[in-house]
Amino acid sequence: MFDQLTRMVHSGRIVRTLLLSLILIATTATEAGGPDGRSPECSNTPDGRRTVWTHLAALDGSERKNAVLDIELGAGAIAPDKANAARIAALWNNGSCDEAIEILRALEAGGLPVAVGVSWKEPVPLGAGGRGMDVRVGAPNVWAKQVSLEGAYDTYAAVVWDHPGEWGWSMNMSQDNGANWVETYHKYTTDAVLDLDTGGGTIWFVYVAYVWAGDPAVPKKSRFRLDDGTIDTEYGNGGVEDVYDAAPATVKEIGIDMTEGFFEWSTFVFALQSDGQLRFFDAFGEEWTGVTNASGGLDTASGGMLLMWGNVASYIGMDGGVYVLRLPGDPVYLAQFTGDHEHTSIDAYASGEIRYYICAVEHEYPNGQGIKHWLSVDDGESWSPAALVYPGSGEGEYMMPSVAVSGDGYAAIYQQQTGDFDQVFFTNKPDLELGEWWRDPVPINDYAVDTGTPLEIRRLIKTPGEELYAYGILYITQHPEYWFTWPLYDRSPGPGGYCHAWGYPYPAPYISNVSVGSIDHSSEMSYGGYGEHTEYSTEMEIGTEYELTVTATDTVEADECGVWIDWNRDLDSGDSYETISVSGTPGEGPYTAVIVPPGSATLGETRMRIRIARGVAPEPCGQGGEGEVEDYTIVVSAGYCAASGGCGQYISRVELAGMDNESGCDEYTNYGPIVGDLRTAAAYPMTITIGNGYDGNLGGLWIDWNRDYLFDGADETIALSPNWGPGPYKATVIPPLDAALGETRMRVRVHREVEWADPCGDEPYGEVEDYVLNIVEPVYCTAFSECDEYISRVQVGDIDNASDCPLGWFGCPDFTYLSTEVAMGTETPITITINAGEGGDRGGLWIDWNQDQDLDDAEETITLDGTPGPGPYTATITPPTDPPAELGATRMRVRVVRDHEPELCGEQDAGEVEDYTIIVVEGQECPADFDDNGVVDTADLLYLLGCWGIGCGDMDGDGDTDTVDLLALLGAWGECP
């Protein structure tokens, strides 16, 4: 990826935007709308992180044209995986986006870690009101070592680079809330350490303080212009000024901050020296402090006005204590430092004459390393300690905290080390009251994080009307293959990971009561125009109606109400069906709505957002004028109808797709933990065995293909053969091509003496069992050709498929919904007919006997007679016994190619590829021995006669039990061979 990005930058294709990192083992939520229009609710990796393909599927047509892809694979990738990765990028970058997504989805389904890098040809904004995906900061340098972040009306980042040819530090600027970054300055030094701050006033500038190995005793500061981020050459010596000379000591760490003065913002510098001195220099170059025992971990902040008031620093002393130095004043001892890393973090905020401070450090607890913080709400006179993160039993250690405070509350980011994957989390408290708890942490990064990386979080000052409490986040990621380290920028998520939303609270209408289900909550106007009431929840069953009433106070006729519910739990409310229709709006209220959870809703807790806005159409995110926003919790539950029995007869065994469940009678049982994986359009044989069965039994089988929690679809009732009698009942289960991917419900039922089995309700004689099926797409490699000649007919067993080449160019029709059984030890002939065949044509045939979805084992290539030549081609299919073929549904691929040897995968010029389903079944040495007692006798004859006309005694495979089957049984009379 680095090489590609470098070429793109030097070619001018990307000027102000570099790398948008989409995912490595993706985050907790999924995007709506896959490449085929489905909603990929369950498109997560096994550990719950978001899959890559859902990110790409969510891009619209213009975004796809604008995006340039590169693919990286994690540990375990083999040569075919790497070939697929290269093909994905090539297809996407040549415009075949849907095909690239399908191959990527198949690649991820195998469990391989995948990272996708996207660089934009034209800059792409993050969008208003919410966080975006992680965005790479600066030019494509490598080996970032340190980061620092600040925000004014634009956002600035300084990065230290630690690699030959890149040594030094760079200034980087974003003018679109962090969506795109441009490197405005690079100073080539060695072993630099730095800090930066921004400010405004009569003259606005950005200042960077740094130290470098060539002159470690003299810290320097540089000044940059706020408008374009370029260095101010009129300042100091070409934009650089020496702060002071520390010789013979050297400067280990440095911090710079700005405080508003009478006429403009003024800079103040803290410097921690190798001799233990912590020195402070004001805007006039005067030195303040008397600290002589500082060891490291310096962080600085300014939360005041009028010169140095409110300047503060945190550090670790030589005695191992955590100290806060407030100027003017003496250091305050907070606690003994017990962390693994010499690191502190501090921030400050001024409100009138009071300054609020928050300080955090790593801290050892009984279960391991967590993070402790102290808060002062009285200008640093007193400090209250509490755990920010308390590690539970077995958790990885928490490390490297960074904190920020503002009038809207205070926030923190920290790193959790969990084996090879280190995650960065964001959490915040909604206000400055001590009694509030930290919100549940939200992961903010999609990449694995470099162990011990510095983290930066800063409150971003916004233009009027934008976010009231936005935080910027900067961290360093490791490249998963080459171990490069890159700085990435993100914006903090809102409460619970959702976008921020708030209203101007005064004067304004506000939500005074919300009533739906078990929620009946009354409240006053929330602080800051936003009220998080997610502790109030109600359960909603899919397909059931619930009445919502929103009562508001101080309303007028122009006020409007909006309601959104995140049904698919992708941390947004952008899907059309997630906007709830509200009655009574605009108006003074009350406002009402009827909420019906859709069948596609993801089960579990999700967010309901309600907004009152004056004179504007309400939106789920951002500042919405005068009014208020409140959030609540909805718990979505499954809505399948109830069914039960009484055990006169019962289901004793269910066999399907690797599931083999033997059971007694429990009237009704949900075998949810037992999951069978079924591929779309593939055929799977199923057997249902009945205990205590008799001739009056009737079986039923239903599968909820569209996952609407109903069994009413035309193809959701699965035919049984036979569907009555003592059993066993047989079926062929074929998930339709448009089946919803992910887990769904299968219901199996046995009745006694009823006209037809129904999936719902109670029957006193019988039993009901529910199972979970996981519907997946096949992951076989893709193959396609141009159709100059094509396969016009395939005949094997029950398959007799005549076709043309319907797709024209790149013909690859999928006939896996057509299937036939082939028995172990039995030869089955196949004939492949070619249209417009020529002497140089060659045919290929492959069957995935071991069902490992690669078709490339030696015994899986079937030799065809008649090739090369115009066809037809013939062969005999016999499932191997050494090693034995796996029983069940598998893939057969047929190919014709002109003048080349046919290849299993990929593109070949002239020809066609067709895929079918083969069902491998056990061979039967004595097919007329229905009771398997080794003898064809009267019991078998009576069984066949009882199946007359309905198929359960079918011996010749025509789907019926008739005279032909009777004669076959009589011909086999006696002991089996």
Side-chain angles (χ1 to χ4, degrees):
M1 180 186 293
F2 170 70
D3 291 339
Q4 180 178 341
L5 286 170
T6 302
R7 289 194 301 271
M8 293 166 67
V9 170
H10 286 307
S11 66
R13 292 171 61 187
I14 304 177
V15 178
R16 297 188 54 228
T17 174
L18 292 167
L19 178 65
L20 168 62
S21 63
L22 287 177
I23 193 166
L24 173 64
I25 315 177
T27 59
T28 57
T30 58
E31 292 283 358
D36 52 5
R38 299 191 187 104
S39 179
E41 293 87 357
C42 294
S43 302
N44 285 353
T45 57
D47 57 3
R49 294 190 177 95
R50 181 178 175 182
T51 50
V52 172
W53 71 265
T54 56
H55 281 287
L56 298 181
L59 300 180
D60 62 27
S62 62
E63 290 170 328
R64 294 183 181 196
K65 291 180 181 179
N66 192 30
V68 179
L69 239 64
D70 192 28
I71 308 293
E72 298 160 359
L73 303 179
I78 57 178
D81 299 324
K82 296 176 181 178
N84 274 327
R87 179 162 179 74
I88 292 166
L91 284 168
W92 180 281
N93 296 333
N94 287 316
S96 301
C97 299
D98 285 340
E99 186 174 354
I101 290 171
E102 290 303 314
I103 301 174
L104 178 59
R105 175 154 51 169
L107 190 65
E108 287 191 274
L112 184 67
V114 179
V116 172
V118 171
S119 51
W120 301 114
K121 300 172 186 175
E122 299 294 335
V124 175
L126 286 176
R131 64 165 289 222
M133 294 175 240
D134 307 338
V135 179
R136 181 171 169 189
V137 174
N141 303 329
V142 297
W143 301 109
K145 184 172 75 169
Q146 185 182 348
V147 294
S148 189
L149 176 70
E150 268 302 334
Y153 298 110
D154 295 319
T155 311
Y156 307 87
V159 182
V160 176
W161 302 99
D162 187 23
H163 189 266
E166 304 293 347
W167 276 318
W169 59 271
S170 64
M171 169 63 79
N172 306 275
M173 179 182 184
S174 173
Q175 295 183 309
D176 52 12
N177 294 328
N180 303 285
W181 291 82
V182 59
E183 182 176 284
T184 62
Y185 177 82
H186 193 117
K187 184 173 182 64
Y188 291 92
T189 63
T190 56
D191 300 328
V193 294
L194 56 78
D195 191 20
L196 84 164
D197 202 353
T198 61
T202 306
I203 303 175
W204 289 1
F205 297 105
V206 185
Y207 289 87
V208 176
Y210 65 96
V211 184
W212 63 289
D215 194 4
V218 182
K220 304 177 185 299
K221 61 180 179 179
S222 292
R223 190 165 83 177
F224 296 84
R225 296 174 54 87
L226 272 180
D227 55 355
D228 60 8
T230 59
I231 194 163
D232 180 15
T233 56
E234 297 181 359
Y235 172 79
N237 182 18
V240 180
E241 181 180 81
D242 292 345
V243 178
Y244 77 103
D245 190 345
T250 58
V251 177
K252 295 170 54 179
E253 300 180 44
I254 193 165
I256 187 169
D257 282 283
M258 309 186 73
T259 301
E260 186 177 350
F262 289 103
F263 303 106
E264 63 179 70
W265 292 69
S266 302
T267 60
F268 300 87
V269 177
F270 289 86
L272 194 153
Q273 298 181 173
S274 58
D275 58 2
Q277 290 193 69
L278 177 58
R279 304 175 71 173
F280 170 75
F281 296 85
D282 65 22
F284 305 103
E286 297 295 328
E287 181 175 357
W288 299 61
T289 67
V291 176
T292 59
N293 69 336
S295 129
L298 175 68
D299 193 27
T300 65
S302 175
M305 300 173 64
L306 302 179
L307 301 181
M308 79 279 306
W309 292 103
N311 288 94
V312 65
S314 59
Y315 63 94
I316 299 167
M318 291 181 176
D319 59 357
V322 179
Y323 289 90
V324 170
L325 173 62
R326 179 178 52 124
L327 292 171
D330 295 324
V332 177
Y333 174 84
L334 296 182
Q336 184 70 20
F337 181 74
T338 60
D340 287 346
H341 305 85
E342 196 174 68
H343 177 83
T344 71
S345 180
I346 195 165
D347 200 19
Y349 170 76
S351 177
E353 296 181 358
I354 299 296
R355 271 148 296 277
Y356 301 86
Y357 301 111
I358 182 173
C359 178
V361 297
E362 296 169 3
H363 188 77
E364 285 295 324
Y365 291 99
N367 286 323
Q369 181 167 288
I371 298 171
K372 192 172 185 178
H373 78 285
W374 288 263
L375 184 69
S376 173
V377 297
D378 58 4
D379 202 17
E381 295 299 324
S382 61
W383 294 80
S384 299
L388 191 158
V389 179
Y390 184 94
S393 177
E395 289 186 306
E397 70 171 16
Y398 295 90
M399 51 198 282
M400 305 300 292
S402 184
V403 294
V405 62
S406 72
D408 309 302
Y410 44 104
I413 54 170
Y414 55 84
Q415 183 177 344
Q416 183 183 13
Q417 185 176 336
T418 54
D420 294 333
F421 187 86
D422 293 351
Q423 186 92 38
V424 171
F425 289 91
F426 167 87
T427 183
N428 69 316
K429 288 190 177 185
D431 56 51
L432 293 168
E433 296 297 323
L434 292 176
E436 295 289 336
W437 292 98
W438 291 95
R439 288 191 171 110
D440 290 338
V442 177
I444 64 99
N445 61 300
D446 297 324
Y447 269 108
V449 175
D450 186 12
T451 300
T453 184
L455 308 174
E456 287 279 343
I457 181 171
R458 290 289 183 267
R459 179 178 183 271
L460 302 180
I461 303 171
K462 295 295 181 180
T463 54
E466 294 196 28
E467 292 187 45
L468 195 62
Y469 45 93
Y471 295 96
I473 295 169
L474 196 62
Y475 67 95
I476 293 177
T477 179
Q478 277 192 161
H479 186 286
E481 183 175 356
Y482 302 106
W483 304 109
F484 297 159
T485 51
W486 294 335
L488 293 179
Y489 173 83
D490 204 336
R491 297 177 71 194
S492 66
Y498 289 89
C499 61
H500 296 288
W502 70 98
Y504 288 133
Y506 306 107
Y510 65 90
I511 301 166
S512 53
N513 182 267
V514 172
S515 176
V516 58
S518 58
I519 297 174
D520 186 2
H521 179 242
S522 298
S523 61
E524 298 296 326
M525 170 62 84
S526 303
Y527 173 82
Y530 170 77
E532 184 174 3
H533 303 302
T534 51
E535 69 272 20
Y536 296 95
S537 66
T538 188
E539 183 174 335
M540 290 187 178
E541 190 174 89
I542 286 176
T544 302
E545 294 185 354
Y546 298 86
E547 293 185 1
L548 167 70
T549 301
V550 178
T551 305
T553 299
D554 294 338
T555 54
V556 298
E557 283 296 327
D559 292 341
E560 297 192 41
C561 178
V563 178
W564 303 268
I565 300 178
D566 181 19
W567 294 125
N568 62 6
R569 292 203 300 182
D570 63 352
L571 299 181
D572 68 37
S573 298
D575 306 289
S576 59
Y577 63 93
E578 294 181 334
T579 299
I580 308 301
S581 178
V582 179
S583 299
T585 181
E588 297 181 7
Y591 311 102
T592 61
V594 176
I595 299 173
V596 183
S600 58
T602 302
L603 302 185
E605 291 187 357
T606 193
R607 184 68 59 99
M608 176 174 70
R609 174 160 289 177
I610 303 172
R611 173 170 232 150
I612 299 293
R614 174 153 295 169
V616 295
E619 296 289 340
C621 300
Q623 201 289 321
E626 296 179 12
E628 188 196 19
V629 180
E630 291 187 355
D631 283 357
Y632 293 86
T633 296
I634 301 298
V635 182
V636 181
S637 61
Y640 288 103
C641 59
S644 62
C647 287
Q649 286 75 46
Y650 63 92
I651 302 162
S652 61
R653 188 177 186 183
V654 172
E655 302 167 81
L656 171 68
M659 296 190 307
D660 188 353
N661 184 48
E662 297 187 53
S663 63
C665 183
D666 294 312
E667 300 182 357
Y668 169 80
T669 303
N670 183 354
Y671 291 104
I674 302 175
V675 179
D677 289 338
L678 281 73
R679 299 189 299 274
T680 56
Y684 296 85
M686 181 177 183
T687 301
I688 304 169
T689 306
I690 307 303
N692 194 29
Y694 89 118
D695 291 344
N697 287 351
L698 183 70
L701 174 64
W702 302 266
I703 301 176
D704 181 20
W705 296 126
N706 61 3
R707 211 160 61 233
D708 65 353
Y709 296 86
L710 303 170
F711 295 112
D712 62 352
D715 54 357
E716 293 185 340
T717 299
I718 312 301
L720 296 174
S721 178
N723 59 10
W724 64 274
Y729 307 139
K730 302 283 187 177
T732 299
V733 176
I734 305 175
L737 286 170
D738 60 352
L741 301 182
E743 293 185 352
T744 191
R745 184 76 62 95
M746 177 177 73
R747 177 160 290 177
V748 185
R749 182 162 210 164
V750 60
H751 282 273
R752 177 178 175 181
E753 295 179 343
V754 294
E755 292 184 359
W756 179 244
D758 189 281
C760 307
D762 177 70
E763 289 290 339
Y765 298 99
E767 190 198 13
V768 182
E769 293 182 353
D770 281 357
Y771 293 85
V772 174
L773 301 180
N774 184 38
I775 310 304
V776 300
E777 289 195 333
V779 295
Y780 290 93
C781 64
T782 57
F784 46 93
S785 298
E786 298 175 357
C787 284
D788 284 1
E789 52 268 275
Y790 58 87
I791 302 163
S792 60
R793 188 177 185 184
V794 173
Q795 299 164 276
V796 55
D798 295 333
I799 298 173
D800 187 354
N801 183 45
S803 65
D804 55 15
C805 196
L807 300 182
W809 287 84
F810 301 104
C812 45
D814 185 353
F815 294 120
T816 52
Y817 58 90
L818 300 177
S819 66
T820 190
E821 292 185 352
V822 296
M824 295 288 292
T826 302
E827 295 183 348
T828 303
I830 182 172
T831 301
I832 303 166
T833 305
I834 308 303
N835 182 76
E838 299 180 358
D841 291 347
R842 290 173 170 81
L845 175 64
W846 300 267
I847 301 178
D848 183 18
W849 296 123
N850 61 6
Q851 297 183 27
D852 63 354
Q853 301 190 354
D854 60 22
L855 291 163
D856 60 1
D857 300 292
E859 67 276 6
E860 294 180 341
T861 300
I862 314 298
T863 300
L864 290 172
D865 294 328
T867 178
Y873 309 139
T874 60
T876 299
I877 296 173
T878 305
T881 57
D882 185 21
E886 294 286 336
L887 300 181
T890 192
R891 180 69 62 95
M892 178 177 74
R893 174 162 292 175
V894 184
R895 184 165 206 164
V896 61
V897 181
R898 179 192 295 168
D899 296 331
H900 297 284
E901 286 298 323
E903 296 177 359
L904 173 64
C905 305
E907 178 184 356
Q908 289 187 280
D909 294 337
E912 191 203 8
V913 186
E914 294 182 357
D915 283 0
Y916 295 86
T917 294
I918 297 295
I919 302 173
V920 181
V921 298
E922 292 181 344
Q924 190 173 4
E925 296 180 357
C926 194
D929 181 18
F930 294 109
D931 57 6
D932 291 327
N933 66 352
V935 179
V936 179
D937 52 18
T938 304
D940 301 304
L941 175 61
L942 293 176
Y943 176 81
L944 184 144
L945 294 175
C947 294
W948 200 267
I950 62 174
C952 56
D954 180 24
M955 295 179 58
D956 61 359
D958 65 354
D960 196 6
T961 303
D962 52 19
T963 304
V964 175
D965 302 302
L966 175 61
L967 293 175
L969 181 144
L970 295 175
W973 198 268
E975 293 187 5
C976 294

